[in-house]
Amino acid sequence: MTPKELKQILQALVEHGVNELTLETPDYKLTVRRGGEVQVVAMPQVVAPPPSPPVPVAPAPRPEVPAAPAPVPAPEPVQASPKEECAGCVEVKAPIVGTFYRAPAPDAPPYVKEGDRVEKGQVLCIIEAMKLMNEIESEVAGIVKKILVQNGEPVEYGQPLFLIQPV
Amino acid sequence: MTPKELKQILQALVEHGVNELTLETPDYKLTVRRGGEVQVVAMPQVVAPPPSPPVPVAPAPRPEVPAAPAPVPAPEPVQASPKEECAGCVEVKAPIVGTFYRAPAPDAPPYVKEGDRVEKGQVLCIIEAMKLMNEIESEVAGIVKKILVQNGEPVEYGQPLFLIQPV
Amino acid sequence: MKKVLIANRGEIALRIIRAARELGIKTVVAHSTADEKSLPVLLADEAICIGPPPSGQSYLNIPNLLSAAIVTGADAIHPGYGFLAENATFAEMCREHGITFIGPTPENMRALGDKATARKVAREAGVPTVPGTDELESIEEAKRAALEIGYPVILKASAGGGGRGMRVVHTEEELERAIQQAQEEARAAFGNPAVYLEKYIEEPKHIEIQVLGDGENVVHLWERDCSIQRRHQKLLEEAPSVLPYETRRAIAEAAARLARHVGYVSAGTLEFLVDKEGNFYFIEMNTRIQVEHPITELITGIDLVQAQFRIAQGEKLWLRQEDIEVRGHAIEVRINAEDPEKGFRPSIGKVETLLFPGGPGIRVDSHLYAGYQIPPHYDSLIAKIIAWAPTREEAIRRMERALAETVIEGPGLKTTIPFHQKVLQNAFFRRGAVYTNFVARRMEM
Amino acid sequence: MKKVLIANRGEIALRIIRAARELGIKTVVAHSTADEKSLPVLLADEAICIGPPPSGQSYLNIPNLLSAAIVTGADAIHPGYGFLAENATFAEMCREHGITFIGPTPENMRALGDKATARKVAREAGVPTVPGTDELESIEEAKRAALEIGYPVILKASAGGGGRGMRVVHTEEELERAIQQAQEEARAAFGNPAVYLEKYIEEPKHIEIQVLGDGENVVHLWERDCSIQRRHQKLLEEAPSVLPYETRRAIAEAAARLARHVGYVSAGTLEFLVDKEGNFYFIEMNTRIQVEHPITELITGIDLVQAQFRIAQGEKLWLRQEDIEVRGHAIEVRINAEDPEKGFRPSIGKVETLLFPGGPGIRVDSHLYAGYQIPPHYDSLIAKIIAWAPTREEAIRRMERALAETVIEGPGLKTTIPFHQKVLQNAFFRRGAVYTNFVARRMEM
């Protein structure tokens, strides 16, 4: 997907008041949540073996219309917590509002990357709030399983930042 | 599906005030709920043996259904229909609005009393509407099991007047 | 007046309950079996079932309605709009049974009941009507009349309606052939070839004047612009119009003159077509409260339904013309359970999720509640949202804000909200360029 | 101004969204985790979580709020009422970060921030305050002062509040003993025996004047009567008051003079006590929008929250005093999730059944929706119902009608609706005999 295509999609979402979108093609999987994060996860290109007889496509899951009146307005769909991706992991959440940075300076290496082992109290990232750099430390010793926020993105209070598998 | 196509679709939805849509083509399945989630799941036209364990498509998140809120205002408590008091009985209902009289004149004996046997077409009571006396006849032959309205009371359209056990 | 029987349903029944309650008058709602669980029935002091769902057997059932008033001890009947509201016989029967009919006298209704009589009365009162002829006898007569009226003219079938047999004629050359075509169409459609001729008014505004009368004195409450229509159904109304003050005043004064001429009692509305030059032509009078009455209430501060009650109780008009002051601008949108994407096809269903707008300048008149099942037997109006603001531009933005926060949802339920949002965004609408064919021409609907 | 961060919650957050939306300004609601599912969060263009439920860590968390404005690209902050609305430091920090604070200047807040400073400023502007002394040094001084002020007088603890250490004194004979008692009470309650003396105003009305200023020009929007209070909490407000026109005008002009004296910017309210003779005394100024602002909006037609936005954008005041015209009468009731039968104990819960009133003259400002769980962390205001009508008597009857059709129900949920219904029926209230101890005296609550 080209940036131009992505931009067109985002523009379309904004223009049409869509809050969330998941797009899966053989080439890519796109998840967009307006006001939240944008993720483009490249899927491995797989060369398909010769065609075999088509298999009936199972109906894709679709939100069922609630039988009972939904509250007004309907609550946002309950999202699978990032934590569910990693049983036993600890979520490190943003304790303040600000901008998330993975490194102390633009040209410096990141504090941690996925797969790193970290100690309790080790700095994982900084959150800049009102020009103050706040270091966020790991609450546990463990392996960084996932970094949930892109460098330079704004984070709100309580937003999950890292998944850490305690060791 | 190209972004342009998607945009066209979204535009179409907005223009047409559609809130929810499911579209299946050989290429993809699209589920859109405006204001809620949007899913575009591209289906491979040709089903190939999975190159890796397929990622199960998680059931689409759906708003939690609250314990059905009562309508506003709450419906009146369901009353036991008079008919339930006498299985097999026929209800004679008021076909017009007016005042119910059991007798043709204040000093006359009532047309019928409970326990009486009546023939089909026999007069059961009169309903006075705008100074006109309307005779109400029995639709069946049977026993008058119950008289449900007091003499001189107003009755509304459809109000049960008698229970008659057909014989 | 102690107790009123409301011979109507839906939002207007609720509106009448509200007026009566504020005046300390008890309410009885007469309802069909289909409306047993409706909000007016649930909120009224009393309710009485008067027939099965078809309105011919319930809301139009005069004996049952009168009988319902008598057995519940109601001393007055408010007919709302539609149904029996303009039925002179019903008003007369109420009078015969000693029940106050809240509305004009039967004599008022008869004087203004059909268009032809109303036009005659208007001419007597010196109020202009659309110039036209009787049935045309000859081409020569048609030519003479058209010349006198001035082109363009429109040919209409005497027996007709719904556009069939109609022909707009711009020049004398076209006239003869057009008459022949119109006659053929009229014969085919109605079995009667007779046609007549009228001045054709291009892009007219539909302007109506609200009046209140006590049989002697009449005041006008200025105008409403109801040009946003689709197939003669009003969809969005506003007050005041964007017409110049002098035009507005001239129309309003003509309307009051006509109402005074017939000794009009109660609330009523006089409809006019207004052409681009500001010429205005009386069409007909509605001898009842109207759906769009709230916009007049918002700009004048006068409660029209309460006024109907007070006049019906014999109160002499407490308002002089100089007491009536217009403040700001009001817009009403009619939210119908219809699908504007599918030719405004009725879209009934159950209302599961409901959130009405609130905050400054917003009024909601609706009989909906969460869980309400919209019955298929009656008209599709489910809510009126009315916005007031100091200026037209602010009222439009306020209405847009209000519609954006409104939620009326249920399985399969569609409403006209998206249609109204498009009207409000339309550049022609925003600059006030509205006329009766606006929806067809600017909205392509 | 392109985007505003709303540093508040509940109905006022929704009110600000509405004003911003009508002005074409985007909205970001800053919210605690407890308000994640609140209506303002659901209706705003964006939302950002700024802390856990306790307001000290969320709605009063200045760094998180400023940071939230910065990361969301908001160029303005509206503080609503309560929380940080009257915090001069917060207003200053907004200014330092280039964010427009929608409200008065920090200088305005400091000039009027505490009662003592505000009284001094009032005296400079020639606005009367309640006559009183500093801390009393001797009995002789107290006697002199009391004689000058005129009996009855009230003794108050310098360190105090909440009625402790207070003593009303009607004659000089009682004075010495009363001072001794008051000093003892003050020492016991606050560890400081110092007391001072003030004129005692019997059965005062609590009258407040709404003003709008741009730093140079100030207009007043007349008064609100907020006398219906329970333990200094306002419960029902109305505008205008029943005071004579001359008194109303004198108070309003004094208020405008004071606001002009400090170069007041934005919307603000000046509170006065008014005695039975029509003497009025300035008490304090609220440098923010107030809960009861809608009644002023309804009688003047002016949107006060939009006015705050426009003034904050640097617009010069577009209203002259003569443009502000009062029409009719408005009443607001505050519907709190409290049980009036149990000492107004908070009664939180889930709103399962909800039906707000509608129809003519009714405005609802509420963040409730069916299914909303009222969080226990914040104040108990859940809805404001406001009624407008041409006269006070009609407004009262309209409010009674509106409350009768309101349904706010859920398991264990109680509201103050029954309390308001009793106030509206009270004969003293109906004839306008209201004063700050009305609820205690006439409602025995």
Side-chain angles (χ1 to χ4, degrees), chain D residues 202-351:
Chain D
E202 285 178 287
E203 301 192 346
K205 284 187 193 292
H206 178 119
I207 297 291
E208 58 186 31
I209 307 293
Q210 177 70 53
V211 297
L212 282 176
D214 62 8
E216 209 172 311
N217 299 304
V218 168
V219 293
H220 69 76
L221 284 84
W222 297 93
E223 83 282 17
R224 296 186 283 260
D225 187 328
C226 309
S227 302
I228 305 291
Q229 305 180 350
R230 185 183 165 273
R231 301 192 180 167
H232 304 285
Q233 296 298 308
K234 296 170 189 167
L235 293 166
L236 179 152
E237 303 95 358
E238 56 183 315
S241 67
V242 298
L243 291 171
Y245 177 74
E246 285 310 321
T247 308
R248 296 172 52 217
R249 202 181 61 178
I251 305 172
E253 284 176 357
R257 193 163 66 239
L258 205 171
R260 214 173 283 122
H261 182 75
V262 298
Y264 193 76
V265 175
S266 195
T269 304
L270 296 100
E271 300 196 332
F272 293 83
L273 290 183
V274 183
D275 72 15
K276 288 176 195 163
E277 284 76 41
N279 300 307
F280 58 90
Y281 307 97
F282 170 73
I283 319 168
E284 62 174 319
M285 179 159 185
N286 299 307
T287 56
R288 52 168 160 85
I289 193 75
Q290 281 189 286
V291 176
E292 60 271 26
H293 75 275
I295 53 176
T296 299
E297 295 184 326
L298 283 177
I299 61 165
T300 62
I302 294 165
D303 188 313
L304 289 167
V305 182
Q306 284 194 23
Q308 287 189 303
F309 273 93
R310 291 172 64 182
I311 292 168
Q313 286 175 312
E315 205 174 320
K316 280 283 138 197
L317 209 57
W318 55 96
L319 297 160
R320 292 157 309 170
Q321 191 59 53
E322 59 266 34
D323 297 332
I324 293 154
E325 209 187 316
V326 170
R327 182 189 253 191
H329 196 92
I331 300 175
E332 172 185 279
V333 298
R334 299 190 188 194
I335 299 183
N336 296 334
E338 294 172 0
D339 186 349
E341 292 305 312
K342 302 229 170 90
F344 291 79
R345 189 168 72 182
S347 149
I348 49 166
K350 188 173 176 179
V351 179

Side-chain angles (χ1 to χ4, degrees), chain A residues 1 8 19 28 33 36 50 72 77-78 83 88 92 94 107 116 118 142 157:
Chain A
M1 178 170 19
Q8 285 176 334
N19 292 326
Y28 59 79
R33 275 177 70 206
V72 177
V78 178
K83 207 177 158 183
V92 179
D107 50 357
D116 280 4
V118 293
Y157 173 84

Side-chain angles (χ1 to χ4, degrees), chain A residues 29 37 39-41 80-87 89-93 100 102 112-118 124-125 142-150 159-166:
Chain A
K29 174 182 170 159
E37 60 278 280
Q39 296 190 344
V40 182
V41 185
S81 159
K83 207 177 158 183
E84 284 169 24
E85 293 175 22
C86 165
C89 273
V90 169
E91 263 182 354
V92 179
K93 292 180 181 177
F100 175 88
R102 288 186 55 195
V112 293
K113 45 189 201 307
E114 287 178 8
D116 280 4
R117 156 133 203 178
V118 293
L124 299 173
C125 67
I143 307 295
V144 177
K145 295 300 279 188
K146 207 159 173 60
I147 303 176
L148 302 161
V149 181
Q150 296 293 310
Q159 185 171 337
L161 307 174
F162 298 91
L163 287 182
I164 298 191
Q165 176 106 63

Side-chain angles (χ1 to χ4, degrees), chain C residues 133-146 197:
Chain C
T133 67
D134 291 333
E135 279 179 23
L136 295 171
E137 303 285 335
S138 70
I139 299 290
E140 294 321 304
E141 185 200 345
K143 281 186 180 170
R144 258 199 318 278
L197 196 150

